[in-house]
Amino acid sequence: MSISLDGHYARPGDPEDMGWVMPYAITDVARDHLTGLWEPATTALLGRVNAEGFLGFWPTVIGMEGADPRDEGFAKWLIDTDKVVLSSTLGEAPWERTTIIDKPTAEVVADLRATEGGDILVLSSASVIKALLAADKVDRLALTVFPVFLGGGPRLFDDGLPAGQWALASQAAGEHGTLALVYDRVR
């Protein structure tokens, strides 16, 4: 999940505008961070809005002139991996290898964990991550912190989350002061 230094994941008034992320998302540290997350994952879990954005954009990166190989690798993984999209409005999946589910997020994750496979990667879907944090169902939290204040907007960490400890599993600092942080839940 990408967050600003002042703790927001989107600008005020337009949570779908991720333009503020772009100058930082193309840094080596951000690209390497994402690669380290998707490589062990066998399932992508997304909310509907994020699925529409990701699955509308990333396939266009494959074969794009000048595309970074890490970006193409992620795009290929996203197309080829199993995707679960949480939605109460989509009737059927417009994307291959995608299942649409209209159930509580924590229940979906419990069902996915009961199957064999690698990591379940939630791709920047704030509503999904927030629901899993509230249910204490996140094992690993990966954050890319960008050195910008958005001055408002939605926050990832709402008051009332279950108390708990997290251990820093990895950290990297990069261009422009971008930080890639991975925390594991201490249980």
Side-chain angles (χ1 to χ4, degrees):
M1 187 73 189
S2 299
I3 60 172
S4 64
L5 195 56
D6 61 345
H8 302 278
Y9 63 83
R11 285 189 169 132
D14 190 1
E16 294 180 33
D17 174 16
M18 296 304 290
W20 68 275
V21 168
M22 293 316 296
Y24 310 104
I26 58 172
T27 62
D28 284 331
V29 73
R31 283 179 164 138
D32 290 344
H33 180 65
L34 180 59
T35 300
L37 298 173
W38 66 258
E39 283 182 330
T42 56
T43 304
L45 178 61
L46 304 110
R48 179 196 52 83
V49 171
N50 210 32
E52 290 172 343
F54 268 58
L55 296 169
F57 169 75
W58 281 103
T60 68
V61 172
I62 299 170
M64 181 185 290
E65 186 177 329
D68 187 283
R70 294 166 292 190
D71 294 344
E72 280 194 275
F74 174 70
K76 289 174 184 173
W77 173 84
L78 187 60
I79 290 168
D80 294 340
T81 199
D82 292 329
K83 293 165 282 297
V84 175
V85 175
L86 300 172
S87 176
S88 61
T89 59
L90 285 177
E92 61 181 57
W95 314 286
E96 291 183 27
R97 299 188 65 140
T98 304
T99 304
I100 306 296
I101 299 178
D102 182 11
K103 290 181 6 183
T105 305
E107 189 177 322
V108 171
V109 167
D111 292 346
L112 289 171
R113 284 181 172 173
T115 63
E116 290 198 25
D119 291 349
I120 302 163
L121 178 60
V122 179
L123 292 168
S124 299
S125 293
S127 62
V128 175
I129 295 169
K130 290 171 85 159
L132 293 173
L133 286 168
D136 199 16
K137 297 293 182 189
V138 176
D139 295 325
R140 174 165 276 186
L141 184 62
L143 302 171
T144 310
V145 182
F146 298 129
V148 60
F149 277 18
L150 294 181
R155 293 185 177 277
L156 184 61
F157 306 111
D158 294 328
D159 288 344
L161 291 175
Q165 292 185 317
W166 296 81
L168 184 63
S170 69
Q171 61 185 333
E175 303 160 61
H176 312 294
T178 299
L179 295 175
L181 305 168
V182 177
Y183 291 94
D184 288 336
R185 180 72 166 92
V186 177
R187 299 210 187 266

